[in-house]
Amino acid sequence: MVDCPECGAGVDLHDDLEVGEIVDCATCGAELEVIGEGPVDLDTAPELEEDWGE
Amino acid sequence: MVDCPECGAGVDLHDDLEVGEIVDCATCGAELEVIGEGPVDLDTAPELEEDWGE
Amino acid sequence: MSVDEYDRVVVKIGGAKAVEPEGALADIASLVDGSARSADERSSGERSDPREEGVELVVVHGGSTAVDEALERMGMEPEYVETPSGVVGRFTDAETMDVFKMAMAGQVNTDLVTGLRNAGADAVGLSGVDGGLLTGARKSAVRVVEDGKRKIRRGDHSGRIGSVNAALLETLLADGYTPVASPPMLADGGVDGQSPSADGTESRYVAVNTDADRASAAVAGALGATLVSLTDVEGVYADPEDPNTRIERVTTPGEYEALTDAAEGFMSRKVMAATEALEGGAPEVVVASANADEPVRTALEGEGTHVL
Amino acid sequence: MSVDEYDRVVVKIGGAKAVEPEGALADIASLVDGSARSADERSSGERSDPREEGVELVVVHGGSTAVDEALERMGMEPEYVETPSGVVGRFTDAETMDVFKMAMAGQVNTDLVTGLRNAGADAVGLSGVDGGLLTGARKSAVRVVEDGKRKIRRGDHSGRIGSVNAALLETLLADGYTPVASPPMLADGGVDGQSPSADGTESRYVAVNTDADRASAAVAGALGATLVSLTDVEGVYADPEDPNTRIERVTTPGEYEALTDAAEGFMSRKVMAATEALEGGAPEVVVASANADEPVRTALEGEGTHVL
Ligand SMILES: [Zn+2]
Ligand SMILES: [Zn+2]
């Protein structure tokens, strides 16, 4: 259980999380990016405009 | 023994000639290029200006 | 419409194997040198006025097939990622970017320039890096979906074109050259993930991948040129199963809506690029087949799907 | 001599790993933008007049190390052949030529242009194919010595520069760009050994390898520019073992003879290129070290070996 960096509530984490993976905070709905795995560290996921590649 | 395309004299050929190889006509001194090997075919070797590569 | 009514045209060609460029190159060269004849003149055997000026023409090309082939020859796996909305695009890490430069700017561009010169056009190849031809922000992070998981992938060498150095193209066109432009573009924002240079500072600009269709749209917009986008189908079809349903001309909002509804898969990229070209200042966009004897000329004369 | 006395300079850089270009790129950019200060001004802390015009500068580069690396990554063996007089050169078959284009025009050129743009110069990359910048006859057959046997090898993609499109460089220089040029060149004579094009005719022009030192000499000659040829040594030494014997200035036939006697190995190529540059119209050639803080500026100010 890690605290949501947005609202402070605990965020439920499934196993085998990978760095870069996005999880949702069940309390505030924020999208959170896994920025470390040992221990798990979360940060607000960046908004990224979708593009359509080369 | 193949005829020299320059002077018509017979040209002595060693074994294992390769296409592209240059042989000299002992009679007229011409440089001859092996342009075929089965049977051996000779043509006058082109004069090529030497360069100094890339 | 006759070819004579177009002074300035950007031609997008694929560079991929599926789109054979030979016919296009000869056609481009004949349009540039002004010896172009209209369909009427051709059928009547009449020759056009030799004093007639040629079309100012810029070629923009892609070449992702060549990039994939070069990656394979080097034992690297091309990596494609899927975005949350289902669009598949190339993920270009630093090592892949080096191969991208080789294949796109080195091989495909040089081969097209050589082909155009053999066809009679005085072609000059440029990547988006040259003279800052295609510059914009880098996008090094991208949201992707892998095995159903949403992820953020960082280190992508990709960017979005924000400006075109139209002056460089104008200078070359004024001197009678045919510019042949391609990705990469020059991204501002190389600091992220870039290796520091020898003096310890990090490089600000970095060559990155960008979509060639969008590049062609940006160039057409900046030059106020008609964009002829050659592809492997003869235009956009209202019903892709029915060859009689080609959308010939799109001039109203309703027709435009029908066009976007009809465009599927890669064709939707062509339509998005068309929209960007028109918004950027292009008067007209034609999506047409590369597999015609004179694909550019016939596109300008009415083949394909014209969007205004 | 002060840098201000040079209006137009061609800088040859290696592109090989041995010759680190970082210092050269910053130096080139500062010379181009006119913020250049002479050695006297630097030591006195004086700034030059900001209205002062920069030097018109063209970069020419090689990159055979990058070509060899790319060949190796693709599992191909670089092939070097020896001529009857003992000169070793690359044999470039069609497949090798493709890799050559990739590495030289795609990677090395794009990286140098990006590096120069980061240093502040408005660089534009060109291969000899672009605009027919470097054209000449193809030499597809070459005499070689293999295992003591004299042979003729055919299918080489190599050529000798006969003309330079100086007007293209002048146009870019006039607009403030720094052209960055490299092999391949465009050879007239592609018919020999080339695959026919789609319409059954054979291609007349083909991209081929040419020596980058000679390319720099041809460009300097055509532009009437001073050639600064950067290398990994500090000039030509009368006695290569003795660092006090650098030949500083060559102005008389006797000094020229001493120079050619002293130049060994790759340095003899530099001297041959210097001769071609001077015969072609360059007022001066400087062979100097790339491994200096300001290699071009210090070369112009007196370092290296100056041949006039
Ligand atoms: Zn929360
Ligand atoms: Zn004989």
Side-chain angles (χ1 to χ4, degrees):
Chain A
M1 190 75 95
V2 174
D3 290 350
C4 170
E6 291 286 314
C7 70
V11 181
D12 261 335
L13 300 173
H14 63 85
D15 293 339
D16 68 335
L17 269 183
E18 294 166 46
V19 168
E21 194 168 339
I22 297 171
V23 296
D24 295 318
C25 170
T27 307
C28 75
E31 290 190 308
L32 304 170
E33 179 184 358
V34 179
I35 58 172
E37 345 177 41
V40 169
D41 194 7
L42 297 177
D43 198 359
T44 307
E47 298 277 352
L48 296 170
E49 198 180 350
E50 188 166 324
D51 206 359
W52 32 292
E54 167 247 334
Chain B
M1 189 74 96
V2 175
D3 289 348
C4 170
E6 292 287 314
C7 71
V11 181
D12 260 337
L13 300 171
H14 63 85
D15 292 339
D16 68 332
L17 269 183
E18 294 167 46
V19 167
E21 195 168 339
I22 297 171
V23 295
D24 296 316
C25 170
T27 307
C28 74
E31 289 190 309
L32 304 171
E33 179 184 357
V34 178
I35 57 172
E37 344 175 42
V40 170
D41 195 8
L42 299 177
D43 199 359
T44 307
E47 297 279 350
L48 295 169
E49 200 180 351
E50 187 165 323
D51 207 0
W52 32 291
E54 168 247 332
Chain C
M1 213 163 145
S2 154
V3 166
D4 307 341
E5 292 165 60
Y6 295 93
D7 328 309
R8 197 172 259 188
V9 174
V10 171
V11 178
K12 162 68 170 55
I13 55 183
K17 271 189 179 161
V19 182
E20 176 62 55
E22 287 284 347
L25 301 190
D27 193 24
I28 286 166
S30 92
L31 288 166
V32 168
D33 85 355
S35 66
R37 289 183 294 159
S38 71
D40 283 353
E41 287 169 333
R42 284 200 306 281
S43 58
S44 69
E46 188 188 332
R47 296 217 150 261
S48 59
D49 184 343
R51 292 162 306 178
E52 186 188 331
E53 281 194 19
V55 175
E56 288 193 330
L57 199 148
V58 175
V59 175
V60 176
H61 68 86
S64 52
T65 308
V67 175
D68 285 349
E69 283 174 357
L71 287 170
E72 194 185 327
R73 290 183 65 184
M74 295 193 180
M76 295 165 69
E77 193 75 30
E79 185 183 3
Y80 287 91
V81 291
E82 188 178 342
T83 66
S85 69
V87 176
V88 174
R90 183 193 294 280
F91 187 84
T92 311
D93 62 15
E95 208 183 358
T96 302
M97 190 62 220
D98 272 341
V99 181
F100 184 98
K101 285 179 247 174
M102 289 188 197
M104 192 73 84
Q107 187 176 27
V108 179
N109 192 274
T110 304
D111 287 348
L112 283 173
V113 169
T114 304
L116 279 166
R117 297 193 69 80
N118 273 306
D122 198 353
V124 173
L126 297 167
S127 82
V129 172
D130 295 318
L133 181 64
L134 306 172
T135 52
R138 178 165 174 196
K139 296 167 51 232
S140 66
V142 58
R143 284 187 177 228
V144 303
V145 179
E146 277 176 28
D147 306 325
K149 291 182 184 172
R150 289 168 297 148
K151 291 184 185 174
I152 293 191
R153 283 288 305 271
R154 296 175 191 275
D156 193 23
H157 285 62
S158 159
R160 174 168 291 193
I161 297 166
S163 75
V164 174
N165 182 354
L168 174 56
L169 298 173
E170 306 261 8
T171 293
L172 292 171
L173 289 169
D175 280 8
Y177 295 108
T178 301
V180 179
S182 72
M185 63 172 279
L186 189 70
D188 190 345
V191 176
D192 174 359
Q194 284 307 291
S195 56
S197 61
D199 61 0
T201 60
E202 302 212 327
S203 297
R204 175 173 172 187
Y205 296 108
V206 61
V208 302
N209 188 3
T210 196
D211 180 78
D213 280 314
R214 291 183 98 158
S216 68
V219 170
L223 290 175
T226 293
L227 173 61
V228 175
S229 192
L230 298 179
T231 181
D232 55 0
V233 292
E234 291 176 19
V236 185
Y237 288 82
D239 174 1
E241 307 294 304
D242 182 352
N244 297 314
T245 62
R246 171 163 63 91
I247 298 174
E248 295 184 9
R249 208 169 167 80
V250 176
T251 56
T252 67
E255 288 167 345
Y256 180 77
E257 200 176 323
L259 176 76
T260 54
D261 287 349
E264 291 173 352
F266 75 92
M267 193 52 85
S268 69
R269 293 192 183 200
K270 292 277 178 197
V271 171
M272 284 192 273
T275 306
E276 289 189 0
L278 296 169
E279 286 172 352
E284 182 175 353
V285 177
V286 192
V287 177
S289 171
N291 301 307
D293 272 353
E294 296 178 310
V296 181
R297 171 184 305 281
T298 53
L300 293 173
E301 288 175 353
E303 289 298 315
T305 295
H306 291 239
V307 191
L308 286 88
Chain D
M1 214 165 147
S2 155
V3 166
D4 305 342
E5 291 164 61
Y6 295 94
D7 335 307
R8 197 172 260 188
V9 174
V10 171
V11 179
K12 161 67 171 53
I13 54 183
K17 269 189 179 159
V19 183
E20 176 61 56
E22 287 286 347
L25 302 190
D27 193 24
I28 286 165
S30 92
L31 288 166
V32 168
D33 84 355
S35 65
R37 289 182 293 158
S38 70
D40 283 352
E41 288 169 333
R42 284 200 306 283
S43 59
S44 69
E46 189 189 331
R47 296 217 149 260
S48 61
D49 184 342
R51 291 162 306 177
E52 185 190 331
E53 281 194 20
V55 175
E56 289 193 330
L57 200 149
V58 174
V59 175
V60 177
H61 68 86
S64 52
T65 307
V67 174
D68 285 349
E69 283 173 359
L71 286 170
E72 193 184 328
R73 290 183 65 184
M74 294 191 180
M76 294 165 70
E77 194 76 30
E79 184 183 5
Y80 287 92
V81 292
E82 189 179 341
T83 66
S85 69
V87 176
V88 174
R90 182 193 295 281
F91 188 85
T92 311
D93 61 16
E95 208 183 359
T96 301
M97 191 62 221
D98 272 342
V99 181
F100 184 98
K101 286 178 244 172
M102 289 188 195
M104 191 73 83
Q107 187 177 26
V108 179
N109 192 275
T110 304
D111 287 350
L112 282 174
V113 169
T114 304
L116 279 166
R117 298 195 68 81
N118 274 304
D122 199 353
V124 173
L126 297 167
S127 82
V129 172
D130 295 317
L133 180 63
L134 306 173
T135 50
R138 179 166 174 196
K139 295 167 53 229
S140 67
V142 58
R143 283 186 178 229
V144 303
V145 178
E146 275 177 31
D147 306 326
K149 290 182 183 171
R150 290 168 298 150
K151 290 185 187 173
I152 293 192
R153 285 289 305 271
R154 297 176 188 276
D156 194 22
H157 285 62
S158 161
R160 174 167 290 193
I161 296 166
S163 75
V164 174
N165 182 354
L168 174 56
L169 298 173
E170 306 262 7
T171 293
L172 292 170
L173 289 169
D175 280 9
Y177 296 108
T178 301
V180 179
S182 72
M185 64 172 278
L186 189 71
D188 190 345
V191 174
D192 175 358
Q194 286 304 295
S195 56
S197 61
D199 60 0
T201 61
E202 302 212 327
S203 298
R204 175 175 171 186
Y205 296 109
V206 60
V208 302
N209 187 3
T210 196
D211 180 78
D213 280 314
R214 292 184 99 157
S216 69
V219 170
L223 291 174
T226 293
L227 172 61
V228 175
S229 190
L230 297 179
T231 181
D232 55 0
V233 292
E234 291 176 19
V236 184
Y237 288 82
D239 174 3
E241 306 294 304
D242 182 353
N244 295 316
T245 62
R246 171 163 62 90
I247 298 174
E248 295 185 10
R249 208 168 167 81
V250 175
T251 55
T252 67
E255 289 168 344
Y256 180 76
E257 200 177 322
L259 176 76
T260 53
D261 286 350
E264 293 173 351
F266 76 93
M267 193 53 85
S268 68
R269 294 194 182 200
K270 292 277 179 197
V271 171
M272 283 191 273
T275 306
E276 290 189 0
L278 295 169
E279 285 172 351
E284 182 177 352
V285 177
V286 192
V287 177
S289 171
N291 301 307
D293 273 353
E294 296 180 310
V296 182
R297 171 184 305 284
T298 53
L300 292 174
E301 288 175 354
E303 289 297 315
T305 295
H306 292 240
V307 190
L308 285 87

